[in-house]
Amino acid sequence: MGLKNGAAMANETGRIEAFSDGIFSIAATLLVLELKPPPPNAPFWHGLLAQWPGFAAFLLSFFFIGIMWINHHRLFTHVRRSDDMLMLSNLLLLLGVVWIPYPTSLMAQAVTKGVVLDAALLYNGSYLVIALLFNLLFYTCIQRRLVDCEFAAVRGIAKSYLIGPSVYVFCFVITWWNVPLSLAINGAMALYFLLSPSLQTKARPR
């Protein structure tokens, strides 16, 4: 019975992870659809170079979606069972992930036109909402006791997630005064979430 229950739980969370992986893959794939061929009346390489904002937005957002997928995977290594609230909070997070190609496209167009403030507000605001949705998913797992007993690792995830919303709020506010700085902070947060487990391991006393 114990083995059967364990297999059922693994299958239960496995379906959520498989569905989530598919959504992350689709969101990352949609980014490339915004890359356009060079204008037919322009030299080939010059036409490609003129579209550098689109390529930069593609690479940055692909990087961000990849890091979100890594953090989603890290969290689900500690999730041992699911319920309706977990599935709902996970679905809301995936909604935010699928949304990312749209503000990415608008950001690239805005950089090309030289008017970036509104697009940057939407772009940075989107990542603020995603940070809140990650926290909602995490605390749903904690409050409903869906995670395993590796509390040290879970506490490390909690510390990382708590930092996110406050920094993204700051990033969003800074956008009004300095768009490049706000985007740099956004990128730095992505690096932080990528490297935070390693940093916490080094900082933890032996």
Side-chain angles (χ1 to χ4, degrees), residues 80-148:
R80 290 296 173 260
R81 60 187 184 87
S82 69
D83 62 10
D84 290 344
M85 289 302 297
L86 171 65
M87 289 188 285
L88 178 59
S89 58
N90 188 66
L91 197 61
L92 289 173
L93 173 62
L94 296 178
L95 175 62
V97 172
V98 173
W99 164 258
I100 286 300
Y102 180 63
T104 297
S105 172
L106 295 181
M107 189 68 195
Q109 292 176 22
V111 171
T112 302
K113 296 176 181 177
V115 184
V116 298
L117 177 59
D118 292 334
L121 286 169
L122 179 63
Y123 188 80
N124 289 329
S126 298
Y127 283 101
L128 169 59
V129 171
I130 287 177
L132 294 171
L133 292 174
F134 255 115
N135 275 271
L136 174 63
L137 174 61
F138 177 74
Y139 286 104
T140 297
C141 294
I142 295 296
Q143 293 297 323
R144 302 182 74 82
R145 300 183 179 182
L146 305 177
V147 295
D148 60 21

Side-chain angles (χ1 to χ4, degrees), residues 14-169:
R15 290 191 64 189
I16 297 174
E17 289 183 80
F19 177 73
S20 302
D21 289 348
I23 296 297
F24 277 103
S25 299
I26 291 170
T29 302
L30 289 175
L31 292 171
V32 79
L33 297 181
E34 297 302 324
L35 301 180
K36 307 300 182 185
N41 58 344
F44 180 80
W45 293 111
H46 183 271
L48 279 182
L49 289 175
Q51 299 185 65
W52 71 265
F55 290 104
F58 162 74
L59 290 173
L60 190 63
S61 293
F62 185 87
F63 179 62
F64 285 177
I65 288 175
I67 291 174
M68 286 189 283
W69 173 76
I70 290 171
N71 279 277
H72 186 273
H73 172 71
R74 285 171 178 163
L75 174 58
F76 268 80
T77 59
H78 301 287
V79 176
R80 290 296 173 260
R81 60 187 184 87
S82 69
D83 62 10
D84 290 344
M85 289 302 297
L86 171 65
M87 289 188 285
L88 178 59
S89 58
N90 188 66
L91 197 61
L92 289 173
L93 173 62
L94 296 178
L95 175 62
V97 172
V98 173
W99 164 258
I100 286 300
Y102 180 63
T104 297
S105 172
L106 295 181
M107 189 68 195
Q109 292 176 22
V111 171
T112 302
K113 296 176 181 177
V115 184
V116 298
L117 177 59
D118 292 334
L121 286 169
L122 179 63
Y123 188 80
N124 289 329
S126 298
Y127 283 101
L128 169 59
V129 171
I130 287 177
L132 294 171
L133 292 174
F134 255 115
N135 275 271
L136 174 63
L137 174 61
F138 177 74
Y139 286 104
T140 297
C141 294
I142 295 296
Q143 293 297 323
R144 302 182 74 82
R145 300 183 179 182
L146 305 177
V147 295
D148 60 21
C149 296
E150 295 183 29
F151 292 114
V154 172
R155 280 198 299 268
I157 293 174
K159 289 177 182 177
S160 300
Y161 283 13
L162 277 174
I163 293 171
S166 57
V167 177
Y168 280 115
V169 167

